[in-house]
Amino acid sequence: MANKKDAAKADVEASNDSAPSKKSGKTLLAFFLCFVFSVAASVATTYFLMPKDTQIATEEPENNLKQQLSSLQESIASQNQAIQAVKAENDILKLYLRHSSSTALKNILIDQENNIQAYLKVMKAAMEDLTKLTSGTRDWNNKYQYQLDLALKGSLEREDLLKLLKTGEPNEKK
């Protein structure tokens, strides 16, 4: 019986020795499987959350920007053409306005007033010279010099009015 008892004790001790090693092996296996499952879940989550084609995603905005740039350049080119056309038309209209009948008439009248003023200035100077050559004409000269000054002043006023009609700005005083 002693042998049976010793054998039973040995079996219990053997089962006790193998139980901790079975327990620790199962625990290690459980931790390993938990680790593998955790890593697999992290990789799967990262895979699904990351964009599929990062290179295509970066090329799309670049292509979009290139298209916008080219459309802006086309728009600028068409606007430049429109500006050139408007400038050419503006030059033609300025030429037409310069040669229109009312503008031409105003220019003719302004030129006539300038000619009248030049004539009056020459006549005034000639009368002064004549007064110096002949004696006793000082009173006559003073009387007509005053009338010449009035005529010159009237001519200057008419020129101012004509220039005001032509440009909308008053003439500079001489």
Side-chain angles (χ1 to χ4, degrees):
M1 244 200 179
N3 280 341
K4 274 189 178 182
K5 279 187 179 179
D6 285 336
K9 265 187 183 181
D11 283 335
V12 172
E13 284 179 14
S15 67
N16 283 343
D17 286 339
S18 67
S21 65
K22 282 183 185 177
K23 244 186 182 179
S24 67
K26 286 182 183 179
T27 305
L28 285 175
L29 183 63
F31 280 128
F32 180 73
L33 289 176
C34 184
F35 175 75
V36 168
F37 179 74
S38 173
V39 169
S42 296
V43 168
T45 303
T46 304
Y47 177 74
F48 286 117
L49 291 179
M50 290 294 287
K52 301 290 183 208
D53 298 324
T54 56
Q55 190 173 20
I56 293 174
T58 57
E59 288 178 4
E60 269 183 35
E62 188 176 307
N63 289 337
N64 191 13
L65 288 175
K66 286 181 182 178
Q67 289 174 349
Q68 287 178 349
L69 180 63
S70 65
S71 67
L72 284 174
Q73 288 174 340
E74 291 172 4
S75 174
I76 289 172
S78 66
Q79 289 175 357
N80 283 339
Q81 289 174 348
I83 288 172
Q84 293 300 326
V86 167
K87 283 183 179 180
E89 191 174 317
N90 187 23
D91 291 339
I92 292 170
L93 289 175
K94 281 183 181 178
L95 182 66
Y96 176 74
L97 182 62
R98 197 175 308 130
H99 297 305
S100 70
S101 61
S102 65
T103 305
L105 184 60
K106 290 174 191 174
N107 287 335
I108 290 170
L109 289 174
I110 289 172
D111 287 341
Q112 281 182 342
E113 287 301 324
N114 288 333
N115 290 338
I116 290 171
Q117 291 168 14
Y119 173 76
L120 289 173
K121 288 177 185 176
V122 168
M123 189 174 183
K124 188 175 178 178
M127 286 177 62
E128 285 179 12
D129 290 342
L130 183 64
T131 302
K132 290 177 187 174
L133 290 175
T134 54
S135 61
T137 57
R138 178 73 59 202
D139 293 335
W140 171 82
N141 185 29
N142 288 338
K143 179 182 175 185
Y144 289 109
Q145 287 292 334
Y146 177 72
Q147 289 178 353
L148 284 175
D149 288 339
L150 287 177
L152 188 61
K153 182 179 176 188
S155 178
L156 287 171
E157 288 174 357
R158 284 190 303 273
E159 182 186 13
D160 286 342
L161 287 173
L162 287 170
K163 286 188 177 180
L164 182 64
L165 282 174
K166 181 180 176 186
T167 63
E169 298 176 3
N171 189 14
E172 297 177 12
K173 296 296 178 189
K174 295 179 183 178

